Amino acid sequence: MTTEQYLTFQKFTDKASALELADLLKQNYIDCKFEDTSGRVDLTFSNSEAIKEYRVKLRKENFEAANNLLLQLTAQQLENVSKEYYLYEFSDEELTEIIHKPDEWCKLDYLLAQKLLKDRGREITPELAETYKKQRIQELSEPERSQKGWIIAGYIFSFLGGLLGVFIGWHLRYHKKTLPNGDRVFAYSIPDRKNGYNIFIIGIISFVCWLIVRILSGPYLW
């Protein structure tokens, strides 16, 4: 089984937490891999190279089992949550928002939000929670907003013969995101991906042309 067949399940900035999750999954016979991705270059610049990042990866078919395991273990902690916990101050609408977007919250917050709503007479049935989950997957499947800035930069760098333009084009054309259920979808819209492909091709051609010119021009241009 190659590393490419494992998808990111959770990201951490703390190595011990990532290893703890990996050990927990293995103890429950869920195949996983731990990966240190600190220092990798991110073309979106959403993460700094200085920030530590560790990933626990699973095969797609194990995402549901892993999520169910974590929910089961977290459910055992609900009765021990202090009344001072910040979710107790949330309104019904804010608690419902957590259930709508479980990927943005920890498992404890997700389950506690359901419990609090039930205690307040606004129970979220399993069927309704499943409906919310499907709606959220559909929302997350939508492509990211238009990448006009990166497209312009990509064309500029590509025509100048820089490899950065090639990388930007490749990222726009081929980058995928992993959904909470393990599905993989293209991150950007079809028009942006078409621009990414053009940038990628132009960048390669331009780089080769500039390389040939420099070679033929002798050492003085190097």
Side-chain angles (χ1 to χ4, degrees), residues 6-12 21-22 24-25 30-33 54-60 62-71 103 107 178-182:
Y6 287 79
L7 307 173
T8 300
F9 178 64
Q10 284 191 25
K11 299 178 184 179
F12 298 85
L21 174 59
L24 174 65
L25 294 172
I30 298 177
D31 186 28
C32 68
K33 286 192 177 294
Y54 308 95
R55 300 186 182 191
V56 175
K57 294 188 169 186
L58 306 175
R59 288 181 293 175
K60 178 183 182 301
N62 289 333
F63 268 62
E64 184 177 359
N67 277 315
N68 288 339
L69 171 65
L70 295 180
L71 287 173
D103 54 287
K107 295 291 190 294
T178 303
L179 303 179
N181 63 355

Side-chain angles (χ1 to χ4, degrees), residues 17-214:
S17 298
L19 289 172
E20 182 179 357
L21 174 59
D23 289 340
L24 174 65
L25 294 172
K26 291 176 181 177
Q27 289 170 13
N28 286 271
Y29 308 102
I30 298 177
D31 186 28
C32 68
K33 286 192 177 294
F34 167 83
E35 185 176 342
D36 183 351
T37 54
S38 303
R40 288 190 178 180
V41 177
D42 182 359
L43 287 178
T44 65
F45 295 100
S46 59
N47 294 308
S48 168
E49 287 189 68
I51 295 177
K52 296 294 184 180
E53 183 184 81
Y54 308 95
R55 300 186 182 191
V56 175
K57 294 188 169 186
L58 306 175
R59 288 181 293 175
K60 178 183 182 301
E61 58 266 28
N62 289 333
F63 268 62
E64 184 177 359
N67 277 315
N68 288 339
L69 171 65
L70 295 180
L71 287 173
Q72 291 171 10
L73 295 176
T74 304
Q76 300 172 10
Q77 307 172 20
L78 287 182
E79 299 303 325
N80 298 323
V81 177
S82 169
K83 299 298 181 182
E84 302 299 321
Y85 195 68
Y86 70 100
L87 247 60
Y88 280 90
E89 299 180 1
F90 275 35
S91 66
D92 291 354
E93 290 72 22
E94 290 172 325
L95 293 174
T96 303
E97 181 73 7
I98 294 176
I99 302 171
H100 272 284
K101 299 179 179 180
D103 54 287
E104 296 182 356
W105 301 82
C106 67
K107 295 291 190 294
L108 178 61
D109 288 349
Y110 176 68
L111 292 179
L112 184 57
Q114 294 186 55
K115 180 179 183 298
L116 292 177
L117 285 172
K118 182 179 180 179
D119 292 343
R120 298 176 187 182
R122 296 190 59 178
E123 181 179 4
I124 302 295
T125 65
E127 293 77 17
L128 184 56
E130 185 63 26
T131 298
Y132 288 160
K133 186 186 300 183
K134 291 179 180 178
Q135 290 174 348
R136 182 59 175 166
I137 292 297
Q138 183 60 42
E139 291 174 6
L140 294 173
S141 299
E142 296 297 321
E144 305 292 336
R145 61 182 177 82
S146 179
Q147 305 293 304
K148 291 182 180 180
W150 282 114
I151 290 173
I152 293 173
Y155 277 116
I156 292 174
F157 284 117
S158 290
F159 279 113
L160 292 176
L163 285 177
L164 181 57
V166 176
F167 292 133
I168 292 175
W170 183 92
H171 184 79
L172 290 172
R173 176 65 180 86
Y174 296 107
H175 179 62
K176 290 185 176 182
K177 53 186 177 181
T178 303
L179 303 179
N181 63 355
D183 286 343
R184 295 270 289 170
V185 296
F186 285 109
Y188 304 114
S189 65
I190 292 178
D192 283 0
R193 291 179 59 222
K194 287 182 178 178
N195 276 301
Y197 179 78
N198 294 337
I199 292 169
F200 180 73
I201 297 300
I202 292 172
I204 291 177
I205 295 174
S206 182
F207 176 76
V208 172
C209 289
W210 277 105
L211 189 62
I212 293 174
V213 169
R214 288 181 177 182

